[in-house]
Amino acid sequence: MLFKEYHIDQIRSGEKTVTRREWSENYHGPNEGTVVAAKTDLLKPDAECDCFIRITGKREERLGDITEASARREGDYDGIAEFREGYEAVYGDGAWDEEKTVTVVAFEYVGRERPEVPA
């Protein structure tokens, strides 16, 4: 999954444990339980990544339904207003629409190397 460079340390520290995504109708993202690389460059091979996360939950939610606590789990935000600024920095000015449905992906940091899959 693609993240901003500053998110990687927040993921490693456990400060960032959720992300909201505007995915196309045809893309559903990784499934719950899947381990994926947290990348800053989509073209970087997983083998070269040093931040892996396990998807612990996924749901659809209106942007307007975000709580203060959930905004803080998005990373270094003091609340909804600050998260909204960050969201618009990523998706563009005016991207915030309280009625817009986004995918909320919860995750946990699992290490700098991809965990071995049990045989």
Side-chain angles (χ1 to χ4, degrees):
M1 285 183 72
L2 197 58
F3 291 91
K4 295 291 187 189
E5 184 71 39
Y6 60 88
H7 286 143
I8 301 301
D9 285 338
Q10 294 173 351
I11 291 168
R12 287 184 183 136
S13 72
E15 183 179 8
K16 181 170 180 63
T17 59
V18 71
T19 187
R20 281 164 173 72
R21 300 297 172 110
E22 289 186 24
W23 283 332
S24 72
E25 206 174 286
N26 298 326
Y27 181 73
H28 302 288
N31 293 323
E32 191 171 335
T34 304
V35 172
V36 298
K39 300 179 177 190
T40 58
D41 178 352
L42 195 57
L43 300 178
K44 185 176 187 177
D46 285 5
E48 294 178 16
C49 291
D50 64 357
C51 185
F52 290 87
I53 58 175
R54 178 177 290 108
I55 307 305
T56 59
K58 204 165 75 167
R59 69 181 187 283
E60 301 296 310
E61 180 180 282
R62 290 179 335 114
L63 275 175
D65 291 339
I66 190 171
T67 65
E68 292 288 331
S70 192
R72 286 190 291 280
R73 286 191 297 272
E74 284 275 357
D76 190 25
Y77 301 108
D78 287 331
I80 295 170
E82 201 171 284
F83 170 70
R84 179 180 175 163
E85 290 175 20
Y87 187 89
E88 288 193 330
V90 171
Y91 289 105
D93 288 338
W96 186 270
D97 174 356
E98 293 200 0
E99 297 301 317
K100 183 184 296 180
T101 300
V102 294
T103 302
V104 181
V105 181
F107 56 85
E108 63 185 0
Y109 174 64
V110 294
R112 291 180 177 259
E113 296 180 10
R114 183 184 295 276
E116 294 293 323
V117 177

